[in-house]
PDB file of all heavy atoms in Angstrom:
ATOM      1  N   MET A  29       0.860  -1.183   0.000  1.00  0.00           N
ATOM      2  CA  MET A  29       0.000   0.000   0.000  1.00  0.00           C
ATOM      3  C   MET A  29       0.892   1.227   0.000  1.00  0.00           C
ATOM      4  O   MET A  29       2.013   1.191   0.498  1.00  0.00           O
ATOM      5  CB  MET A  29      -0.902   0.041   1.237  1.00  0.00           C
ATOM      6  CG  MET A  29      -1.911  -1.064   1.314  1.00  0.00           C
ATOM      7  SD  MET A  29      -3.024  -0.830   2.714  1.00  0.00           S
ATOM      8  CE  MET A  29      -4.192   0.300   1.997  1.00  0.00           C
ATOM      9  N   TRP A  30       0.381   2.306  -0.572  1.00  0.00           N
ATOM     10  CA  TRP A  30       1.040   3.609  -0.477  1.00  0.00           C
ATOM     11  C   TRP A  30       0.193   4.481   0.428  1.00  0.00           C
ATOM     12  O   TRP A  30      -1.038   4.500   0.328  1.00  0.00           O
ATOM     13  CB  TRP A  30       1.160   4.265  -1.836  1.00  0.00           C
ATOM     14  CG  TRP A  30       2.182   3.658  -2.737  1.00  0.00           C
ATOM     15  CD1 TRP A  30       3.016   2.614  -2.481  1.00  0.00           C
ATOM     16  CD2 TRP A  30       2.464   4.074  -4.068  1.00  0.00           C
ATOM     17  NE1 TRP A  30       3.806   2.351  -3.573  1.00  0.00           N
ATOM     18  CE2 TRP A  30       3.484   3.240  -4.570  1.00  0.00           C
ATOM     19  CE3 TRP A  30       1.955   5.061  -4.898  1.00  0.00           C
ATOM     20  CZ2 TRP A  30       4.005   3.380  -5.841  1.00  0.00           C
ATOM     21  CZ3 TRP A  30       2.472   5.195  -6.170  1.00  0.00           C
ATOM     22  CH2 TRP A  30       3.494   4.361  -6.637  1.00  0.00           C
ATOM     23  N   ARG A  31       0.865   5.228   1.317  1.00  0.00           N
ATOM     24  CA  ARG A  31       0.183   6.165   2.198  1.00  0.00           C
ATOM     25  C   ARG A  31       0.668   7.570   1.888  1.00  0.00           C
ATOM     26  O   ARG A  31       1.863   7.856   1.953  1.00  0.00           O
ATOM     27  CB  ARG A  31       0.476   5.828   3.660  1.00  0.00           C
ATOM     28  CG  ARG A  31      -0.345   6.666   4.643  1.00  0.00           C
ATOM     29  CD  ARG A  31       0.117   6.479   6.058  1.00  0.00           C
ATOM     30  NE  ARG A  31       1.375   7.215   6.244  1.00  0.00           N
ATOM     31  CZ  ARG A  31       2.370   6.821   7.024  1.00  0.00           C
ATOM     32  NH1 ARG A  31       2.297   5.698   7.691  1.00  0.00           N
ATOM     33  NH2 ARG A  31       3.460   7.548   7.136  1.00  0.00           N
ATOM     34  N   PHE A  32      -0.270   8.437   1.542  1.00  0.00           N
ATOM     35  CA  PHE A  32       0.021   9.852   1.319  1.00  0.00           C
ATOM     36  C   PHE A  32      -0.495  10.614   2.533  1.00  0.00           C
ATOM     37  O   PHE A  32      -1.678  10.533   2.860  1.00  0.00           O
ATOM     38  CB  PHE A  32      -0.679  10.371   0.056  1.00  0.00           C
ATOM     39  CG  PHE A  32      -0.124   9.823  -1.229  1.00  0.00           C
ATOM     40  CD1 PHE A  32      -0.544   8.596  -1.718  1.00  0.00           C
ATOM     41  CD2 PHE A  32       0.817  10.540  -1.947  1.00  0.00           C
ATOM     42  CE1 PHE A  32      -0.041   8.094  -2.909  1.00  0.00           C
ATOM     43  CE2 PHE A  32       1.320  10.047  -3.148  1.00  0.00           C
ATOM     44  CZ  PHE A  32       0.890   8.814  -3.621  1.00  0.00           C
ATOM     45  N   ASP A  33       0.384  11.350   3.209  1.00  0.00           N
ATOM     46  CA  ASP A  33       0.024  12.124   4.388  1.00  0.00           C
ATOM     47  C   ASP A  33      -0.078  13.592   4.019  1.00  0.00           C
ATOM     48  O   ASP A  33       0.855  14.157   3.466  1.00  0.00           O
ATOM     49  CB  ASP A  33       1.072  11.960   5.479  1.00  0.00           C
ATOM     50  CG  ASP A  33       1.278  10.518   5.880  1.00  0.00           C
ATOM     51  OD1 ASP A  33       0.291   9.795   6.059  1.00  0.00           O
ATOM     52  OD2 ASP A  33       2.456  10.118   6.001  1.00  0.00           O
ATOM     53  N   SER A  34      -1.179  14.204   4.350  1.00  0.00           N
ATOM     54  CA  SER A  34      -1.366  15.627   4.122  1.00  0.00           C
ATOM     55  C   SER A  34      -1.308  16.332   5.470  1.00  0.00           C
ATOM     56  O   SER A  34      -2.248  16.264   6.255  1.00  0.00           O
ATOM     57  CB  SER A  34      -2.716  15.869   3.444  1.00  0.00           C
ATOM     58  OG  SER A  34      -2.920  17.239   3.256  1.00  0.00           O
ATOM     59  N   VAL A  35      -0.168  16.968   5.732  1.00  0.00           N
ATOM     60  CA  VAL A  35       0.039  17.603   7.033  1.00  0.00           C
ATOM     61  C   VAL A  35      -0.222  19.102   6.956  1.00  0.00           C
ATOM     62  O   VAL A  35      -0.008  19.730   5.929  1.00  0.00           O
ATOM     63  CB  VAL A  35       1.461  17.343   7.578  1.00  0.00           C
ATOM     64  CG1 VAL A  35       1.681  15.871   7.832  1.00  0.00           C
ATOM     65  CG2 VAL A  35       2.515  17.872   6.643  1.00  0.00           C
ATOM     66  N   SER A  36      -0.703  19.664   8.058  1.00  0.00           N
ATOM     67  CA  SER A  36      -0.929  21.102   8.118  1.00  0.00           C
ATOM     68  C   SER A  36       0.160  21.798   8.921  1.00  0.00           C
ATOM     69  O   SER A  36       0.308  23.004   8.844  1.00  0.00           O
ATOM     70  CB  SER A  36      -2.297  21.405   8.728  1.00  0.00           C
ATOM     71  OG  SER A  36      -2.369  20.898  10.033  1.00  0.00           O
ATOM     72  N   GLU A  37       0.910  21.034   9.688  1.00  0.00           N
ATOM     73  CA  GLU A  37       1.990  21.591  10.504  1.00  0.00           C
ATOM     74  C   GLU A  37       3.320  21.087   9.967  1.00  0.00           C
ATOM     75  O   GLU A  37       3.602  19.890   9.998  1.00  0.00           O
ATOM     76  CB  GLU A  37       1.810  21.162  11.961  1.00  0.00           C
ATOM     77  CG  GLU A  37       2.822  21.773  12.894  1.00  0.00           C
ATOM     78  CD  GLU A  37       2.545  21.380  14.337  1.00  0.00           C
ATOM     79  OE1 GLU A  37       1.514  21.819  14.872  1.00  0.00           O
ATOM     80  OE2 GLU A  37       3.373  20.635  14.908  1.00  0.00           O
ATOM     81  N   LYS A  38       4.131  22.016   9.477  1.00  0.00           N
ATOM     82  CA  LYS A  38       5.420  21.636   8.904  1.00  0.00           C
ATOM     83  C   LYS A  38       6.256  20.880   9.938  1.00  0.00           C
ATOM     84  O   LYS A  38       6.337  21.259  11.091  1.00  0.00           O
ATOM     85  CB  LYS A  38       6.164  22.889   8.441  1.00  0.00           C
ATOM     86  CG  LYS A  38       7.394  22.584   7.642  1.00  0.00           C
ATOM     87  CD  LYS A  38       7.998  23.834   7.069  1.00  0.00           C
ATOM     88  CE  LYS A  38       9.170  23.436   6.193  1.00  0.00           C
ATOM     89  NZ  LYS A  38       9.608  24.512   5.350  1.00  0.00           N
ATOM     90  N   GLY A  39       6.846  19.777   9.498  1.00  0.00           N
ATOM     91  CA  GLY A  39       7.684  18.988  10.373  1.00  0.00           C
ATOM     92  C   GLY A  39       6.938  17.944  11.195  1.00  0.00           C
ATOM     93  O   GLY A  39       7.559  17.191  11.942  1.00  0.00           O
ATOM     94  N   TYR A  40       5.607  17.920  11.062  1.00  0.00           N
ATOM     95  CA  TYR A  40       4.841  16.934  11.830  1.00  0.00           C
ATOM     96  C   TYR A  40       5.195  15.518  11.369  1.00  0.00           C
ATOM     97  O   TYR A  40       5.286  15.253  10.184  1.00  0.00           O
ATOM     98  CB  TYR A  40       3.331  17.161  11.685  1.00  0.00           C
ATOM     99  CG  TYR A  40       2.526  16.109  12.417  1.00  0.00           C
ATOM    100  CD1 TYR A  40       2.460  16.111  13.800  1.00  0.00           C
ATOM    101  CD2 TYR A  40       1.870  15.094  11.723  1.00  0.00           C
ATOM    102  CE1 TYR A  40       1.753  15.130  14.490  1.00  0.00           C
ATOM    103  CE2 TYR A  40       1.158  14.120  12.398  1.00  0.00           C
ATOM    104  CZ  TYR A  40       1.102  14.142  13.782  1.00  0.00           C
ATOM    105  OH  TYR A  40       0.404  13.169  14.452  1.00  0.00           O
ATOM    106  N   ILE A  41       5.412  14.630  12.326  1.00  0.00           N
ATOM    107  CA  ILE A  41       5.747  13.236  12.017  1.00  0.00           C
ATOM    108  C   ILE A  41       4.523  12.368  12.286  1.00  0.00           C
ATOM    109  O   ILE A  41       3.975  12.381  13.392  1.00  0.00           O
ATOM    110  CB  ILE A  41       6.933  12.757  12.872  1.00  0.00           C
ATOM    111  CG1 ILE A  41       8.071  13.710  12.650  1.00  0.00           C
ATOM    112  CG2 ILE A  41       7.224  11.294  12.595  1.00  0.00           C
ATOM    113  CD1 ILE A  41       9.418  13.199  12.499  1.00  0.00           C
ATOM    114  N   VAL A  42       4.093  11.642  11.274  1.00  0.00           N
ATOM    115  CA  VAL A  42       2.922  10.780  11.375  1.00  0.00           C
ATOM    116  C   VAL A  42       3.233   9.591  12.273  1.00  0.00           C
ATOM    117  O   VAL A  42       4.304   9.001  12.197  1.00  0.00           O
ATOM    118  CB  VAL A  42       2.498  10.306   9.969  1.00  0.00           C
ATOM    119  CG1 VAL A  42       1.419   9.244  10.045  1.00  0.00           C
ATOM    120  CG2 VAL A  42       2.033  11.495   9.145  1.00  0.00           C
ATOM    121  N   VAL A  43       2.268   9.251  13.126  1.00  0.00           N
ATOM    122  CA  VAL A  43       2.433   8.160  14.082  1.00  0.00           C
ATOM    123  C   VAL A  43       1.338   7.128  13.842  1.00  0.00           C
ATOM    124  O   VAL A  43       0.157   7.472  13.799  1.00  0.00           O
ATOM    125  CB  VAL A  43       2.325   8.686  15.536  1.00  0.00           C
ATOM    126  CG1 VAL A  43       2.448   7.552  16.533  1.00  0.00           C
ATOM    127  CG2 VAL A  43       3.352   9.757  15.792  1.00  0.00           C
ATOM    128  N   GLN A  44       1.732   5.879  13.689  1.00  0.00           N
ATOM    129  CA  GLN A  44       0.753   4.804  13.617  1.00  0.00           C
ATOM    130  C   GLN A  44       0.478   4.364  15.045  1.00  0.00           C
ATOM    131  O   GLN A  44       1.400   4.074  15.798  1.00  0.00           O
ATOM    132  CB  GLN A  44       1.284   3.643  12.786  1.00  0.00           C
ATOM    133  CG  GLN A  44       0.241   2.599  12.494  1.00  0.00           C
ATOM    134  CD  GLN A  44       0.738   1.541  11.528  1.00  0.00           C
ATOM    135  OE1 GLN A  44       1.919   1.459  11.236  1.00  0.00           O
ATOM    136  NE2 GLN A  44      -0.164   0.728  11.043  1.00  0.00           N
ATOM    137  N   GLU A  45      -0.766   4.349  15.441  1.00  0.00           N
ATOM    138  CA  GLU A  45      -1.118   4.114  16.835  1.00  0.00           C
ATOM    139  C   GLU A  45      -1.583   2.689  17.085  1.00  0.00           C
ATOM    140  O   GLU A  45      -2.001   1.987  16.178  1.00  0.00           O
ATOM    141  CB  GLU A  45      -2.241   5.078  17.229  1.00  0.00           C
ATOM    142  CG  GLU A  45      -1.827   6.531  17.071  1.00  0.00           C
ATOM    143  CD  GLU A  45      -2.949   7.482  17.425  1.00  0.00           C
ATOM    144  OE1 GLU A  45      -3.831   7.117  18.204  1.00  0.00           O
ATOM    145  OE2 GLU A  45      -2.919   8.598  16.916  1.00  0.00           O
ATOM    146  N   THR A  46      -1.503   2.291  18.343  1.00  0.00           N
ATOM    147  CA  THR A  46      -2.082   1.014  18.755  1.00  0.00           C
ATOM    148  C   THR A  46      -3.141   1.301  19.810  1.00  0.00           C
ATOM    149  O   THR A  46      -3.003   2.215  20.617  1.00  0.00           O
ATOM    150  CB  THR A  46      -1.016   0.067  19.328  1.00  0.00           C
ATOM    151  OG1 THR A  46      -0.352   0.714  20.409  1.00  0.00           O
ATOM    152  CG2 THR A  46      -0.012  -0.338  18.279  1.00  0.00           C
ATOM    153  N   ASP A  47      -4.201   0.533  19.756  1.00  0.00           N
ATOM    154  CA  ASP A  47      -5.304   0.709  20.691  1.00  0.00           C
ATOM    155  C   ASP A  47      -5.735  -0.675  21.170  1.00  0.00           C
ATOM    156  O   ASP A  47      -6.317  -1.440  20.399  1.00  0.00           O
ATOM    157  CB  ASP A  47      -6.458   1.435  19.984  1.00  0.00           C
ATOM    158  CG  ASP A  47      -7.633   1.697  20.898  1.00  0.00           C
ATOM    159  OD1 ASP A  47      -7.451   1.652  22.134  1.00  0.00           O
ATOM    160  OD2 ASP A  47      -8.737   1.937  20.375  1.00  0.00           O
ATOM    161  N   HIS A  48      -5.411  -1.024  22.392  1.00  0.00           N
ATOM    162  CA  HIS A  48      -5.745  -2.331  22.965  1.00  0.00           C
ATOM    163  C   HIS A  48      -5.229  -3.473  22.084  1.00  0.00           C
ATOM    164  O   HIS A  48      -5.983  -4.338  21.646  1.00  0.00           O
ATOM    165  CB  HIS A  48      -7.244  -2.471  23.181  1.00  0.00           C
ATOM    166  CG  HIS A  48      -7.823  -1.394  24.042  1.00  0.00           C
ATOM    167  ND1 HIS A  48      -7.371  -1.110  25.308  1.00  0.00           N
ATOM    168  CD2 HIS A  48      -8.806  -0.497  23.796  1.00  0.00           C
ATOM    169  CE1 HIS A  48      -8.053  -0.110  25.810  1.00  0.00           C
ATOM    170  NE2 HIS A  48      -8.936   0.279  24.917  1.00  0.00           N
ATOM    171  N   LYS A  49      -3.962  -3.421  21.791  1.00  0.00           N
ATOM    172  CA  LYS A  49      -3.276  -4.448  21.021  1.00  0.00           C
ATOM    173  C   LYS A  49      -3.705  -4.515  19.547  1.00  0.00           C
ATOM    174  O   LYS A  49      -3.389  -5.456  18.849  1.00  0.00           O
ATOM    175  CB  LYS A  49      -3.434  -5.820  21.675  1.00  0.00           C
ATOM    176  CG  LYS A  49      -2.840  -5.887  23.066  1.00  0.00           C
ATOM    177  CD  LYS A  49      -2.997  -7.251  23.648  1.00  0.00           C
ATOM    178  CE  LYS A  49      -2.469  -7.255  25.078  1.00  0.00           C
ATOM    179  NZ  LYS A  49      -2.631  -8.522  25.733  1.00  0.00           N
ATOM    180  N   VAL A  50      -4.443  -3.523  19.088  1.00  0.00           N
ATOM    181  CA  VAL A  50      -4.837  -3.466  17.675  1.00  0.00           C
ATOM    182  C   VAL A  50      -4.155  -2.247  17.058  1.00  0.00           C
ATOM    183  O   VAL A  50      -4.243  -1.146  17.596  1.00  0.00           O
ATOM    184  CB  VAL A  50      -6.374  -3.331  17.529  1.00  0.00           C
ATOM    185  CG1 VAL A  50      -6.760  -3.146  16.072  1.00  0.00           C
ATOM    186  CG2 VAL A  50      -7.066  -4.535  18.125  1.00  0.00           C
ATOM    187  N   THR A  51      -3.462  -2.452  15.956  1.00  0.00           N
ATOM    188  CA  THR A  51      -2.811  -1.335  15.291  1.00  0.00           C
ATOM    189  C   THR A  51      -3.827  -0.594  14.432  1.00  0.00           C
ATOM    190  O   THR A  51      -4.562  -1.207  13.660  1.00  0.00           O
ATOM    191  CB  THR A  51      -1.651  -1.837  14.407  1.00  0.00           C
ATOM    192  OG1 THR A  51      -0.729  -2.528  15.245  1.00  0.00           O
ATOM    193  CG2 THR A  51      -0.948  -0.679  13.724  1.00  0.00           C
ATOM    194  N   VAL A  52      -3.890   0.697  14.613  1.00  0.00           N
ATOM    195  CA  VAL A  52      -4.772   1.540  13.826  1.00  0.00           C
ATOM    196  C   VAL A  52      -3.965   2.045  12.637  1.00  0.00           C
ATOM    197  O   VAL A  52      -2.891   2.608  12.836  1.00  0.00           O
ATOM    198  CB  VAL A  52      -5.289   2.728  14.685  1.00  0.00           C
ATOM    199  CG1 VAL A  52      -6.196   3.623  13.886  1.00  0.00           C
ATOM    200  CG2 VAL A  52      -5.992   2.216  15.936  1.00  0.00           C
ATOM    201  N   PRO A  53      -4.432   1.853  11.413  1.00  0.00           N
ATOM    202  CA  PRO A  53      -3.612   2.194  10.254  1.00  0.00           C
ATOM    203  C   PRO A  53      -3.416   3.688  10.017  1.00  0.00           C
ATOM    204  O   PRO A  53      -2.498   4.095   9.339  1.00  0.00           O
ATOM    205  CB  PRO A  53      -4.373   1.562   9.085  1.00  0.00           C
ATOM    206  CG  PRO A  53      -5.783   1.483   9.559  1.00  0.00           C
ATOM    207  CD  PRO A  53      -5.704   1.265  11.041  1.00  0.00           C
ATOM    208  N   TYR A  54      -4.252   4.505  10.594  1.00  0.00           N
ATOM    209  CA  TYR A  54      -4.162   5.951  10.384  1.00  0.00           C
ATOM    210  C   TYR A  54      -3.695   6.638  11.664  1.00  0.00           C
ATOM    211  O   TYR A  54      -3.719   6.057  12.747  1.00  0.00           O
ATOM    212  CB  TYR A  54      -5.507   6.516   9.923  1.00  0.00           C
ATOM    213  CG  TYR A  54      -6.618   6.311  10.928  1.00  0.00           C
ATOM    214  CD1 TYR A  54      -6.930   7.298  11.852  1.00  0.00           C
ATOM    215  CD2 TYR A  54      -7.345   5.128  10.966  1.00  0.00           C
ATOM    216  CE1 TYR A  54      -7.929   7.109  12.786  1.00  0.00           C
ATOM    217  CE2 TYR A  54      -8.351   4.936  11.895  1.00  0.00           C
ATOM    218  CZ  TYR A  54      -8.639   5.922  12.805  1.00  0.00           C
ATOM    219  OH  TYR A  54      -9.617   5.741  13.737  1.00  0.00           O
ATOM    220  N   ASP A  55      -3.282   7.900  11.530  1.00  0.00           N
ATOM    221  CA  ASP A  55      -2.799   8.681  12.665  1.00  0.00           C
ATOM    222  C   ASP A  55      -3.974   9.434  13.289  1.00  0.00           C
ATOM    223  O   ASP A  55      -4.273  10.559  12.917  1.00  0.00           O
ATOM    224  CB  ASP A  55      -1.705   9.644  12.187  1.00  0.00           C
ATOM    225  CG  ASP A  55      -1.088  10.461  13.302  1.00  0.00           C
ATOM    226  OD1 ASP A  55      -1.610  10.442  14.441  1.00  0.00           O
ATOM    227  OD2 ASP A  55      -0.094  11.135  13.025  1.00  0.00           O
ATOM    228  N   ARG A  56      -4.647   8.787  14.221  1.00  0.00           N
ATOM    229  CA  ARG A  56      -5.842   9.345  14.848  1.00  0.00           C
ATOM    230  C   ARG A  56      -5.547  10.656  15.576  1.00  0.00           C
ATOM    231  O   ARG A  56      -6.250  11.648  15.417  1.00  0.00           O
ATOM    232  CB  ARG A  56      -6.432   8.319  15.811  1.00  0.00           C
ATOM    233  CG  ARG A  56      -7.655   8.819  16.525  1.00  0.00           C
ATOM    234  CD  ARG A  56      -8.290   7.828  17.470  1.00  0.00           C
ATOM    235  NE  ARG A  56      -7.361   6.862  18.014  1.00  0.00           N
ATOM    236  CZ  ARG A  56      -7.634   5.575  18.169  1.00  0.00           C
ATOM    237  NH1 ARG A  56      -8.791   5.106  17.819  1.00  0.00           N
ATOM    238  NH2 ARG A  56      -6.746   4.758  18.696  1.00  0.00           N
ATOM    239  N   SER A  57      -4.493  10.685  16.385  1.00  0.00           N
ATOM    240  CA  SER A  57      -4.204  11.901  17.154  1.00  0.00           C
ATOM    241  C   SER A  57      -3.799  13.052  16.241  1.00  0.00           C
ATOM    242  O   SER A  57      -4.134  14.205  16.503  1.00  0.00           O
ATOM    243  CB  SER A  57      -3.135  11.633  18.212  1.00  0.00           C
ATOM    244  OG  SER A  57      -1.921  11.247  17.609  1.00  0.00           O
ATOM    245  N   GLY A  58      -3.095  12.764  15.152  1.00  0.00           N
ATOM    246  CA  GLY A  58      -2.728  13.808  14.198  1.00  0.00           C
ATOM    247  C   GLY A  58      -3.940  14.418  13.529  1.00  0.00           C
ATOM    248  O   GLY A  58      -4.033  15.638  13.353  1.00  0.00           O
ATOM    249  N   LEU A  59      -4.903  13.572  13.155  1.00  0.00           N
ATOM    250  CA  LEU A  59      -6.135  14.070  12.548  1.00  0.00           C
ATOM    251  C   LEU A  59      -6.944  14.897  13.546  1.00  0.00           C
ATOM    252  O   LEU A  59      -7.400  16.001  13.235  1.00  0.00           O
ATOM    253  CB  LEU A  59      -6.981  12.908  12.023  1.00  0.00           C
ATOM    254  CG  LEU A  59      -6.458  12.207  10.776  1.00  0.00           C
ATOM    255  CD1 LEU A  59      -7.193  10.889  10.554  1.00  0.00           C
ATOM    256  CD2 LEU A  59      -6.586  13.098   9.551  1.00  0.00           C
ATOM    257  N   LEU A  60      -7.121  14.372  14.755  1.00  0.00           N
ATOM    258  CA  LEU A  60      -7.933  15.065  15.751  1.00  0.00           C
ATOM    259  C   LEU A  60      -7.311  16.378  16.208  1.00  0.00           C
ATOM    260  O   LEU A  60      -8.022  17.324  16.545  1.00  0.00           O
ATOM    261  CB  LEU A  60      -8.198  14.145  16.945  1.00  0.00           C
ATOM    262  CG  LEU A  60      -9.121  12.954  16.658  1.00  0.00           C
ATOM    263  CD1 LEU A  60      -9.157  12.000  17.852  1.00  0.00           C
ATOM    264  CD2 LEU A  60     -10.523  13.428  16.287  1.00  0.00           C
ATOM    265  N   SER A  61      -5.982  16.450  16.218  1.00  0.00           N
ATOM    266  CA  SER A  61      -5.306  17.680  16.643  1.00  0.00           C
ATOM    267  C   SER A  61      -5.249  18.728  15.537  1.00  0.00           C
ATOM    268  O   SER A  61      -4.933  19.879  15.785  1.00  0.00           O
ATOM    269  CB  SER A  61      -3.878  17.370  17.097  1.00  0.00           C
ATOM    270  OG  SER A  61      -3.076  17.006  15.980  1.00  0.00           O
TER     271      SER A  61
END
């Protein structure tokens, strides 16, 4: 797969998160912030 990240804050580093032993493929905290 290819992932294209559209960031609004220069230098922001995308983080793949885990939630109760399940990996979330998207950066939830980056989107919400």
Side-chain angles (χ1 to χ4, degrees):
M29 295 186 83
W30 287 359
R31 187 189 75 215
F32 291 84
D33 302 315
S34 178
V35 296
S36 61
E37 184 177 293
K38 189 173 184 166
Y40 177 73
I41 305 222
V42 171
V43 178
Q44 189 173 12
E45 300 178 25
T46 56
D47 182 19
H48 304 304
K49 299 181 184 178
V50 175
T51 301
V52 180
Y54 61 94
D55 183 350
R56 179 179 27 221
S57 62
L59 288 167
L60 291 172
S61 70

